Amino acid sequence: MANAITEAVIRGRLAPCANLSGPVTSTYVWDGEVEMGQEWVLWIKAHETAWEKIEAKIIELHPDDTPAVLAIPCVRANARYSQWLVDHTHV
């Protein structure tokens, strides 16, 4: 599933880069119970203008009812990398 999301986002030119880490152990509350399970963390690096389309694509492809789709703002990035993100994010 994570690979399918990654491929859809990159091939769709919503983001130029993604990193997949895992599995990681997650502890969370679901239906009032504490659960523990393995998850994968997908970091999608894109310009903020792509947020809505990336979010929609993840929700479309993800099997969970409530996937964690978070935008974590970048406080700083080097100028060449920032420009690379802009140049390769087509929304």
Side-chain angles (χ1 to χ4, degrees):
M1 174 263 316
N3 286 325
I5 291 170
T6 301
E7 186 170 344
V9 168
I10 299 298
R11 287 194 185 278
R13 301 193 57 143
L14 301 177
C17 181
N19 304 114
L20 184 58
S21 301
V24 298
T25 301
S26 295
T27 305
Y28 53 93
V29 175
W30 191 254
D31 289 334
E33 300 292 327
V34 175
E35 303 279 340
M36 185 178 286
Q38 288 192 330
E39 297 181 337
W40 293 81
V41 178
L42 177 57
W43 296 92
I44 298 172
K45 300 172 186 174
H47 192 266
E48 64 184 325
T49 56
W51 165 256
E52 287 85 11
K53 289 185 179 183
I54 291 171
E55 178 188 30
K57 182 58 69 177
I58 293 168
I59 290 170
E60 171 192 331
L61 296 174
H62 202 286
D64 290 352
D65 292 336
T66 311
V69 184
L70 311 170
I72 301 172
C74 176
V75 175
R76 290 197 178 206
N78 66 58
R80 288 180 67 184
Y81 188 82
S82 294
Q83 190 59 52
W84 180 77
L85 284 177
V86 169
D87 292 346
H88 293 88
T89 301
H90 302 279
V91 291

Coordinates of all heavy atoms in Angstrom, one line a residue:
M1 N 0.8 -1.2 0.0 CA 0.0 0.0 0.0 C 0.9 1.2 0.0 O 0.6 2.2 -0.8 CB -1.0 -0.1 1.2 CG -1.8 1.1 1.4 SD -1.2 2.3 2.6 CE -0.7 1.3 4.0
A2 N 1.9 1.3 0.8 CA 2.8 2.5 0.9 C 3.5 2.7 -0.4 O 3.6 3.8 -0.9 CB 3.7 2.4 2.1
N3 N 3.9 1.6 -1.0 CA 4.6 1.7 -2.3 C 3.6 2.2 -3.4 O 4.0 2.9 -4.3 CB 5.2 0.3 -2.7 CG 6.4 0.0 -1.9 OD1 7.2 0.8 -1.6 ND2 6.6 -1.3 -1.6
A4 N 2.4 1.7 -3.4 CA 1.4 2.2 -4.3 C 1.1 3.7 -4.2 O 1.0 4.4 -5.2 CB 0.1 1.4 -4.2
I5 N 1.0 4.2 -3.0 CA 0.8 5.6 -2.7 C 2.1 6.4 -3.2 O 1.9 7.4 -3.9 CB 0.6 5.9 -1.2 CG1 -0.8 5.3 -0.8 CG2 0.7 7.4 -0.9 CD1 -1.1 5.3 0.7
T6 N 3.2 5.9 -2.9 CA 4.5 6.5 -3.3 C 4.5 6.7 -4.8 O 4.8 7.7 -5.4 CB 5.7 5.8 -2.8 OG1 5.7 5.7 -1.4 CG2 7.0 6.5 -3.3
E7 N 4.3 5.6 -5.5 CA 4.3 5.6 -7.0 C 3.3 6.5 -7.6 O 3.6 7.3 -8.5 CB 4.1 4.1 -7.5 CG 4.3 4.1 -9.0 CD 4.4 2.7 -9.5 OE1 4.5 1.7 -8.8 OE2 4.2 2.5 -10.8
A8 N 2.1 6.5 -7.0 CA 1.0 7.4 -7.5 C 1.4 8.9 -7.4 O 1.1 9.7 -8.3 CB -0.3 7.1 -6.8
V9 N 1.9 9.2 -6.3 CA 2.3 10.6 -6.0 C 3.5 11.0 -6.9 O 3.4 12.1 -7.4 CB 2.6 10.8 -4.5 CG1 3.2 12.2 -4.2 CG2 1.3 10.6 -3.7
I10 N 4.5 10.2 -7.0 CA 5.6 10.6 -7.8 C 5.3 10.6 -9.3 O 5.6 11.5 -10.0 CB 6.8 9.6 -7.5 CG1 7.2 9.7 -6.0 CG2 8.0 9.9 -8.4 CD1 7.7 11.0 -5.5
R11 N 4.6 9.5 -9.8 CA 4.3 9.4 -11.2 C 3.3 10.5 -11.6 O 3.3 11.0 -12.7 CB 3.7 8.1 -11.5 CG 4.7 7.0 -11.6 CD 4.2 5.7 -12.3 NE 5.2 4.7 -12.2 CZ 6.2 4.5 -13.1 NH1 6.4 5.4 -14.0 NH2 7.0 3.5 -13.0
G12 N 2.4 10.9 -10.6 CA 1.4 12.0 -10.8 C 2.1 13.3 -10.7 O 1.4 14.3 -10.9
R13 N 3.3 13.4 -10.5 CA 4.1 14.7 -10.4 C 3.6 15.6 -9.3 O 3.6 16.8 -9.4 CB 4.2 15.3 -11.7 CG 4.9 14.3 -12.7 CD 5.4 14.9 -13.9 NE 6.3 16.0 -13.7 CZ 7.3 16.3 -14.4 NH1 7.6 15.6 -15.4 NH2 8.1 17.4 -14.2
L14 N 3.0 15.0 -8.2 CA 2.5 15.8 -7.1 C 3.7 16.1 -6.2 O 3.6 17.0 -5.4 CB 1.5 15.0 -6.3 CG 0.2 14.7 -7.2 CD1 -0.8 13.9 -6.3 CD2 -0.4 15.9 -7.7
A15 N 4.8 15.3 -6.2 CA 6.0 15.4 -5.4 C 7.1 14.8 -6.2 O 7.0 13.9 -6.9 CB 5.8 14.8 -4.1
P16 N 8.3 15.4 -6.0 CA 9.5 14.9 -6.6 C 10.2 13.8 -5.9 O 11.1 13.1 -6.4 CB 10.4 16.1 -6.8 CG 10.0 17.0 -5.7 CD 8.6 16.7 -5.4
C17 N 9.9 13.6 -4.6 CA 10.6 12.7 -3.7 C 9.8 12.2 -2.6 O 8.9 12.9 -2.1 CB 11.8 13.4 -3.2 SG 12.9 12.4 -2.1
A18 N 10.0 10.9 -2.2 CA 9.3 10.3 -1.1 C 10.3 9.3 -0.4 O 11.1 8.7 -1.1 CB 8.0 9.7 -1.5
N19 N 10.2 9.2 0.9 CA 11.0 8.2 1.6 C 10.1 7.4 2.4 O 9.2 7.8 3.1 CB 12.0 8.9 2.6 CG 12.9 9.9 1.9 OD1 12.8 11.1 2.1 ND2 13.7 9.4 1.0
L20 N 10.3 6.1 2.4 CA 9.5 5.1 3.1 C 10.4 4.4 4.2 O 11.4 3.9 3.9 CB 9.0 4.0 2.1 CG 8.0 3.0 2.7 CD1 6.8 3.6 3.3 CD2 7.7 2.0 1.5
S21 N 9.9 4.5 5.4 CA 10.6 3.9 6.6 C 9.7 2.9 7.3 O 8.5 3.1 7.4 CB 11.0 5.0 7.6 OG 11.8 6.0 7.0
G22 N 10.3 1.8 7.7 CA 9.5 0.9 8.5 C 9.9 -0.5 8.3 O 10.9 -0.8 7.5
P23 N 9.2 -1.4 8.9 CA 8.1 -1.1 9.8 C 8.5 -0.4 11.1 O 9.6 -0.6 11.6 CB 7.4 -2.4 10.0 CG 8.5 -3.4 9.9 CD 9.5 -2.8 8.9
V24 N 7.6 0.4 11.7 CA 7.7 1.0 13.0 C 6.6 0.5 13.9 O 5.5 0.1 13.3 CB 7.8 2.5 12.9 CG1 8.9 3.0 12.1 CG2 6.4 3.1 12.4
T25 N 6.8 0.4 15.1 CA 5.8 0.0 16.1 C 5.0 1.2 16.5 O 5.6 2.2 17.0 CB 6.4 -0.7 17.3 OG1 7.1 -1.8 16.8 CG2 5.3 -1.1 18.3
S26 N 3.7 1.2 16.4 CA 2.8 2.3 16.8 C 1.9 1.9 17.9 O 1.4 0.7 17.8 CB 2.0 2.8 15.6 OG 2.8 3.3 14.6
T27 N 1.7 2.7 18.8 CA 0.8 2.5 19.9 C -0.3 3.6 19.8 O 0.1 4.8 19.7 CB 1.5 2.6 21.3 OG1 2.5 1.6 21.3 CG2 0.5 2.2 22.4
Y28 N -1.5 3.3 19.8 CA -2.6 4.3 19.5 C -3.9 3.8 20.1 O -4.1 2.7 20.5 CB -2.7 4.5 18.0 CG -3.0 3.2 17.3 CD1 -4.2 2.7 17.0 CD2 -1.9 2.4 16.8 CE1 -4.4 1.5 16.3 CE2 -2.0 1.2 16.2 CZ -3.3 0.8 15.9 OH -3.5 -0.4 15.2
V29 N -4.8 4.7 20.3 CA -6.2 4.4 20.7 C -7.1 4.3 19.5 O -7.1 5.1 18.6 CB -6.7 5.6 21.6 CG1 -8.1 5.3 22.0 CG2 -5.8 5.7 22.9
W30 N -7.8 3.2 19.5 CA -8.8 2.9 18.4 C -10.0 2.2 19.1 O -9.9 1.3 19.8 CB -8.2 2.0 17.4 CG -9.0 1.9 16.2 CD1 -9.8 0.9 15.8 CD2 -9.2 3.0 15.2 NE1 -10.5 1.2 14.6 CE2 -10.2 2.5 14.2 CE3 -8.7 4.3 15.1 CZ2 -10.6 3.2 13.2 CZ3 -9.2 5.0 14.0 CH2 -10.1 4.5 13.0
D31 N -11.2 2.8 18.8 CA -12.4 2.3 19.4 C -12.4 2.2 20.9 O -12.8 1.2 21.5 CB -12.8 1.0 18.7 CG -13.3 1.1 17.3 OD1 -13.8 2.2 16.9 OD2 -13.2 0.2 16.5
G32 N -11.7 3.1 21.5 CA -11.6 3.2 23.0 C -10.6 2.2 23.6 O -10.5 2.1 24.8
E33 N -9.9 1.5 22.8 CA -8.9 0.5 23.3 C -7.5 1.0 22.8 O -7.3 1.5 21.8 CB -9.2 -0.9 22.7 CG -10.5 -1.4 23.1 CD -10.6 -1.8 24.6 OE1 -9.6 -2.1 25.2 OE2 -11.7 -1.6 25.1
V34 N -6.5 0.7 23.7 CA -5.1 0.9 23.3 C -4.7 -0.3 22.4 O -4.8 -1.4 22.8 CB -4.2 1.0 24.5 CG1 -2.7 1.1 24.1 CG2 -4.6 2.2 25.4
E35 N -4.2 0.1 21.2 CA -3.7 -0.9 20.3 C -2.3 -0.7 20.0 O -1.7 0.3 20.2 CB -4.5 -0.7 18.9 CG -6.0 -0.8 19.0 CD -6.5 -2.2 19.1 OE1 -5.8 -3.1 18.6 OE2 -7.6 -2.4 19.5
M36 N -1.6 -1.8 19.5 CA -0.2 -1.7 19.1 C -0.1 -2.5 17.8 O -0.7 -3.5 17.6 CB 0.7 -2.3 20.1 CG 2.1 -2.1 19.8 SD 3.2 -2.8 21.1 CE 3.0 -1.5 22.4
G37 N 0.6 -1.9 16.8 CA 0.8 -2.6 15.6 C 1.9 -2.0 14.8 O 2.6 -1.0 15.2
Q38 N 2.2 -2.6 13.7 CA 3.3 -2.2 12.8 C 2.7 -1.3 11.7 O 1.7 -1.6 11.2 CB 4.1 -3.3 12.2 CG 4.9 -4.1 13.2 CD 5.9 -5.0 12.6 OE1 5.6 -5.6 11.5 NE2 7.0 -5.2 13.2
E39 N 3.4 -0.2 11.5 CA 3.1 0.7 10.4 C 4.3 1.1 9.6 O 5.5 0.8 10.1 CB 2.4 2.0 11.0 CG 1.1 1.8 11.7 CD 0.5 3.0 12.2 OE1 1.3 4.1 12.4 OE2 -0.7 3.0 12.5
W40 N 4.1 1.7 8.5 CA 5.2 2.3 7.7 C 5.0 3.8 7.7 O 3.9 4.3 7.7 CB 5.1 1.8 6.3 CG 5.4 0.3 6.2 CD1 4.5 -0.7 6.5 CD2 6.7 -0.3 5.9 NE1 5.2 -1.9 6.3 CE2 6.5 -1.7 6.0 CE3 7.9 0.2 5.6 CZ2 7.5 -2.6 5.8 CZ3 8.9 -0.7 5.3 CH2 8.7 -2.1 5.4
V41 N 6.1 4.5 7.7 CA 6.1 6.0 7.7 C 6.5 6.4 6.3 O 7.6 6.1 5.8 CB 7.0 6.6 8.7 CG1 7.0 8.1 8.7 CG2 6.6 6.1 10.1
L42 N 5.7 7.2 5.6 CA 6.0 7.7 4.3 C 6.1 9.2 4.3 O 5.2 9.9 4.7 CB 4.8 7.3 3.3 CG 4.9 7.8 1.9 CD1 6.2 7.4 1.2 CD2 3.7 7.4 1.1
W43 N 7.3 9.7 4.0 CA 7.6 11.1 4.0 C 7.5 11.5 2.5 O 8.3 11.1 1.7 CB 9.0 11.4 4.5 CG 9.2 11.0 5.9 CD1 9.6 9.8 6.4 CD2 8.9 11.9 7.1 NE1 9.7 9.9 7.8 CE2 9.3 11.1 8.2 CE3 8.5 13.2 7.2 CZ2 9.1 11.7 9.5 CZ3 8.3 13.7 8.5 CH2 8.7 12.9 9.6
I44 N 6.6 12.4 2.2 CA 6.4 12.9 0.9 C 6.9 14.3 0.9 O 6.4 15.1 1.6 CB 5.0 12.8 0.4 CG1 4.5 11.3 0.3 CG2 4.8 13.5 -1.0 CD1 3.0 11.2 0.1
K45 N 7.9 14.6 0.1 CA 8.5 15.9 0.1 C 8.0 16.7 -1.2 O 8.2 16.3 -2.3 CB 10.0 15.8 0.0 CG 10.6 15.1 1.2 CD 12.1 14.8 1.0 CE 12.6 13.9 2.1 NZ 14.0 13.6 1.8
A46 N 7.2 17.7 -0.9 CA 6.6 18.4 -2.0 C 6.4 19.9 -1.6 O 6.4 20.2 -0.4 CB 5.2 17.8 -2.3
H47 N 6.1 20.7 -2.6 CA 5.8 22.1 -2.3 C 4.4 22.1 -1.7 O 3.5 21.3 -2.1 CB 5.8 22.9 -3.6 CG 5.8 24.4 -3.4 ND1 4.6 25.1 -3.4 CD2 6.7 25.2 -3.1 CE1 4.8 26.3 -3.2 NE2 6.1 26.5 -3.0
E48 N 4.1 23.1 -0.9 CA 2.8 23.2 -0.1 C 1.6 23.3 -1.1 O 0.5 22.9 -0.7 CB 2.9 24.3 0.9 CG 3.0 25.7 0.3 CD 3.1 26.8 1.3 OE1 2.5 26.6 2.4 OE2 3.8 27.7 1.1
T49 N 1.8 23.8 -2.3 CA 0.7 23.9 -3.2 C 0.1 22.6 -3.6 O -1.0 22.5 -4.1 CB 1.1 24.7 -4.5 OG1 2.2 24.0 -5.1 CG2 1.5 26.1 -4.1
A50 N 0.9 21.5 -3.4 CA 0.4 20.2 -3.8 C -0.4 19.5 -2.6 O -0.9 18.4 -2.8 CB 1.6 19.3 -4.2
W51 N -0.5 20.1 -1.5 CA -1.1 19.4 -0.3 C -2.5 18.8 -0.6 O -2.7 17.6 -0.3 CB -1.3 20.4 0.8 CG -2.2 19.9 1.9 CD1 -3.5 20.3 2.1 CD2 -2.0 18.9 2.8 NE1 -4.0 19.6 3.2 CE2 -3.1 18.7 3.6 CE3 -0.9 18.0 3.1 CZ2 -3.2 17.7 4.6 CZ3 -1.0 17.1 4.1 CH2 -2.1 16.9 4.9
E52 N -3.4 19.5 -1.2 CA -4.8 19.0 -1.3 C -4.8 17.8 -2.3 O -5.5 16.8 -2.0 CB -5.7 20.1 -1.9 CG -6.1 21.2 -0.9 CD -5.1 22.3 -0.8 OE1 -4.2 22.4 -1.6 OE2 -5.2 23.1 0.2
K53 N -4.0 17.8 -3.3 CA -4.0 16.7 -4.2 C -3.3 15.5 -3.6 O -3.7 14.3 -3.8 CB -3.4 17.1 -5.6 CG -4.3 18.0 -6.4 CD -3.7 18.3 -7.7 CE -4.6 19.2 -8.5 NZ -4.2 19.5 -9.8
I54 N -2.2 15.7 -2.9 CA -1.5 14.6 -2.2 C -2.5 14.0 -1.2 O -2.6 12.8 -1.1 CB -0.2 15.1 -1.6 CG1 0.8 15.4 -2.7 CG2 0.4 14.0 -0.6 CD1 2.0 16.1 -2.2
E55 N -3.1 14.8 -0.4 CA -4.0 14.3 0.7 C -5.1 13.5 0.0 O -5.4 12.4 0.5 CB -4.6 15.5 1.4 CG -5.6 15.1 2.5 CD -6.4 16.2 3.1 OE1 -6.6 17.3 2.4 OE2 -6.8 16.1 4.3
A56 N -5.7 14.0 -1.0 CA -6.8 13.3 -1.7 C -6.3 11.9 -2.3 O -7.0 10.9 -2.2 CB -7.4 14.1 -2.8
K57 N -5.1 11.9 -2.8 CA -4.6 10.7 -3.4 C -4.3 9.6 -2.3 O -4.6 8.4 -2.5 CB -3.3 10.9 -4.2 CG -2.7 9.7 -4.8 CD -3.6 9.0 -5.8 CE -3.9 9.8 -7.0 NZ -4.8 9.1 -8.0
I58 N -3.8 10.1 -1.2 CA -3.5 9.1 -0.1 C -4.8 8.6 0.5 O -5.0 7.4 0.7 CB -2.7 9.8 1.1 CG1 -1.3 10.2 0.6 CG2 -2.7 8.9 2.3 CD1 -0.6 11.1 1.5
I59 N -5.8 9.4 0.7 CA -7.1 9.0 1.2 C -7.8 8.0 0.2 O -8.4 7.0 0.6 CB -8.0 10.2 1.6 CG1 -7.4 10.9 2.8 CG2 -9.5 9.8 1.8 CD1 -8.0 12.2 3.2
E60 N -7.6 8.3 -1.1 CA -8.2 7.4 -2.1 C -7.6 6.0 -2.1 O -8.3 5.0 -2.2 CB -7.9 8.0 -3.5 CG -8.3 7.1 -4.7 CD -7.8 7.7 -6.0 OE1 -7.6 8.9 -6.1 OE2 -7.5 6.9 -6.9
L61 N -6.3 5.9 -1.9 CA -5.5 4.7 -2.0 C -5.4 3.9 -0.6 O -5.2 2.7 -0.6 CB -4.2 4.9 -2.6 CG -4.2 5.4 -4.0 CD1 -2.8 5.7 -4.5 CD2 -4.8 4.4 -5.0
H62 N -5.4 4.6 0.5 CA -5.1 4.0 1.8 C -6.3 3.2 2.2 O -7.4 3.6 2.1 CB -4.8 5.1 2.8 CG -4.1 4.6 4.0 ND1 -4.6 3.8 5.0 CD2 -2.8 4.8 4.3 CE1 -3.7 3.6 5.9 NE2 -2.6 4.1 5.5
P63 N -6.0 2.0 2.7 CA -7.1 1.1 3.2 C -7.8 1.4 4.5 O -8.9 1.0 4.8 CB -6.4 -0.3 3.3 CG -5.0 0.0 3.6 CD -4.7 1.3 2.9
D64 N -7.1 2.2 5.3 CA -7.7 2.6 6.6 C -8.7 3.7 6.5 O -8.7 4.5 5.6 CB -6.6 3.1 7.6 CG -5.6 2.0 8.0 OD1 -5.9 0.8 7.7 OD2 -4.6 2.3 8.7
D65 N -9.7 3.7 7.4 CA -10.7 4.7 7.5 C -10.1 6.1 7.9 O -10.7 7.1 7.5 CB -11.8 4.3 8.5 CG -12.6 3.1 8.1 OD1 -12.7 2.8 6.8 OD2 -13.2 2.5 8.9
T66 N -9.1 6.0 8.7 CA -8.5 7.3 9.3 C -7.0 7.3 9.1 O -6.3 7.1 10.1 CB -8.9 7.4 10.8 OG1 -10.3 7.2 10.9 CG2 -8.6 8.8 11.3
P67 N -6.5 7.4 7.9 CA -5.1 7.4 7.7 C -4.5 8.7 8.3 O -5.1 9.8 8.3 CB -4.9 7.3 6.2 CG -6.1 7.9 5.6 CD -7.2 7.5 6.6
A68 N -3.3 8.6 8.9 CA -2.6 9.8 9.4 C -2.0 10.5 8.2 O -1.0 10.1 7.7 CB -1.6 9.4 10.4
V69 N -2.6 11.6 7.8 CA -2.0 12.4 6.7 C -1.7 13.8 7.3 O -2.6 14.5 7.7 CB -3.0 12.6 5.5 CG1 -2.4 13.3 4.4 CG2 -3.5 11.2 5.1
L70 N -0.4 14.1 7.5 CA 0.0 15.3 8.2 C 0.9 16.1 7.3 O 1.7 15.6 6.6 CB 0.8 14.9 9.4 CG 0.2 13.8 10.4 CD1 1.2 13.4 11.4 CD2 -1.0 14.4 11.0
A71 N 0.7 17.4 7.4 CA 1.6 18.4 6.7 C 2.5 19.0 7.8 O 2.0 19.6 8.8 CB 0.8 19.5 6.0
I72 N 3.8 18.7 7.7 CA 4.7 19.2 8.7 C 5.5 20.3 8.0 O 6.2 20.1 7.0 CB 5.7 18.1 9.1 CG1 4.8 17.0 9.8 CG2 6.7 18.6 10.1 CD1 5.6 15.7 10.1
P73 N 5.3 21.6 8.4 CA 6.0 22.7 7.7 C 7.5 22.6 7.8 O 8.1 22.2 8.8 CB 5.5 23.9 8.4 CG 5.0 23.4 9.7 CD 4.6 22.0 9.6
C74 N 8.1 23.0 6.7 CA 9.6 23.1 6.7 C 9.9 24.5 7.1 O 9.5 25.5 6.4 CB 10.1 22.8 5.3 SG 11.8 23.0 5.1
V75 N 10.7 24.6 8.1 CA 11.1 26.0 8.6 C 12.2 26.6 7.7 O 12.1 27.7 7.3 CB 11.6 25.9 10.0 CG1 12.1 27.3 10.5 CG2 10.5 25.4 11.0
R76 N 13.1 25.7 7.2 CA 14.1 26.1 6.3 C 14.6 25.0 5.5 O 14.6 23.8 5.9 CB 15.3 26.7 7.1 CG 15.1 28.0 7.8 CD 16.4 28.6 8.2 NE 16.0 29.9 8.8 CZ 16.7 30.9 8.8 NH1 17.9 30.9 8.3 NH2 16.3 32.0 9.4
A77 N 15.0 25.3 4.3 CA 15.7 24.4 3.4 C 16.6 25.2 2.5 O 16.4 26.3 2.3 CB 14.6 23.7 2.5
N78 N 17.7 24.5 2.1 CA 18.6 25.2 1.2 C 17.9 25.6 -0.1 O 17.0 25.0 -0.5 CB 19.9 24.4 1.0 CG 19.7 23.2 0.2 OD1 19.2 23.2 -0.9 ND2 20.0 22.0 0.7
A79 N 18.4 26.7 -0.6 CA 17.7 27.3 -1.8 C 17.6 26.4 -3.0 O 16.6 26.4 -3.6 CB 18.5 28.6 -2.2
R80 N 18.7 25.7 -3.3 CA 18.6 24.8 -4.5 C 17.6 23.7 -4.3 O 16.9 23.3 -5.2 CB 20.0 24.2 -4.7 CG 21.0 25.3 -5.3 CD 22.3 24.7 -5.5 NE 22.3 23.7 -6.6 CZ 23.3 23.0 -7.0 NH1 24.5 23.2 -6.5 NH2 23.2 22.2 -8.0
Y81 N 17.5 23.1 -3.1 CA 16.5 22.1 -2.8 C 15.1 22.6 -2.9 O 14.2 22.0 -3.5 CB 16.8 21.4 -1.4 CG 15.9 20.2 -1.2 CD1 16.3 19.0 -1.7 CD2 14.7 20.3 -0.5 CE1 15.5 17.8 -1.6 CE2 13.9 19.2 -0.3 CZ 14.3 18.0 -0.9 OH 13.5 16.9 -0.7
S82 N 14.9 23.8 -2.3 CA 13.6 24.4 -2.3 C 13.2 24.6 -3.8 O 12.0 24.4 -4.1 CB 13.6 25.7 -1.6 OG 13.8 25.5 -0.2
Q83 N 14.1 25.1 -4.6 CA 13.7 25.4 -6.0 C 13.5 24.1 -6.7 O 12.6 24.0 -7.6 CB 14.9 26.1 -6.7 CG 14.5 26.6 -8.1 CD 13.2 27.5 -8.1 OE1 13.2 28.5 -7.3 NE2 12.2 27.2 -8.9
W84 N 14.2 23.0 -6.4 CA 14.0 21.7 -7.0 C 12.6 21.2 -6.7 O 11.9 20.7 -7.6 CB 15.0 20.7 -6.5 CG 14.9 19.3 -7.0 CD1 15.3 18.9 -8.2 CD2 14.4 18.2 -6.3 NE1 15.1 17.5 -8.3 CE2 14.5 17.1 -7.1 CE3 13.9 18.0 -5.0 CZ2 14.1 15.8 -6.8 CZ3 13.5 16.7 -4.6 CH2 13.6 15.7 -5.5
L85 N 12.1 21.4 -5.4 CA 10.8 21.0 -5.1 C 9.7 21.8 -5.9 O 8.8 21.2 -6.5 CB 10.5 21.3 -3.6 CG 11.1 20.3 -2.6 CD1 10.7 20.8 -1.2 CD2 10.5 18.9 -2.7
V86 N 9.9 23.1 -6.1 CA 9.0 23.9 -6.8 C 9.0 23.4 -8.3 O 8.0 23.2 -8.9 CB 9.4 25.4 -6.7 CG1 8.6 26.2 -7.7 CG2 9.1 25.9 -5.3
D87 N 10.2 23.2 -8.9 CA 10.3 22.9 -10.3 C 9.7 21.5 -10.6 O 9.4 21.3 -11.7 CB 11.8 22.9 -10.7 CG 12.4 24.3 -10.7 OD1 11.7 25.3 -10.6 OD2 13.7 24.3 -10.7
H88 N 9.7 20.6 -9.6 CA 9.2 19.2 -9.9 C 7.9 18.9 -9.2 O 7.6 17.7 -9.1 CB 10.3 18.3 -9.5 CG 11.5 18.4 -10.4 ND1 12.6 19.3 -10.1 CD2 11.9 17.8 -11.5 CE1 13.5 19.2 -11.0 NE2 13.1 18.3 -11.9
T89 N 7.2 19.9 -8.8 CA 5.8 19.6 -8.2 C 4.9 20.3 -9.2 O 4.9 21.6 -9.4 CB 5.7 20.3 -6.8 OG1 6.7 19.6 -6.0 CG2 4.3 20.0 -6.3
H90 N 4.1 19.5 -9.9 CA 3.2 20.1 -10.9 C 1.7 19.9 -10.5 O 1.2 18.8 -10.6 CB 3.5 19.4 -12.3 CG 4.9 19.6 -12.7 ND1 5.4 20.7 -13.3 CD2 6.0 18.8 -12.5 CE1 6.7 20.6 -13.5 NE2 7.1 19.4 -13.1
V91 N 1.1 20.9 -10.0 CA -0.3 20.8 -9.6 C -1.1 21.9 -10.3 O -0.6 22.8 -10.9 CB -0.5 21.0 -8.1 CG1 0.1 19.7 -7.4 CG2 0.1 22.2 -7.6

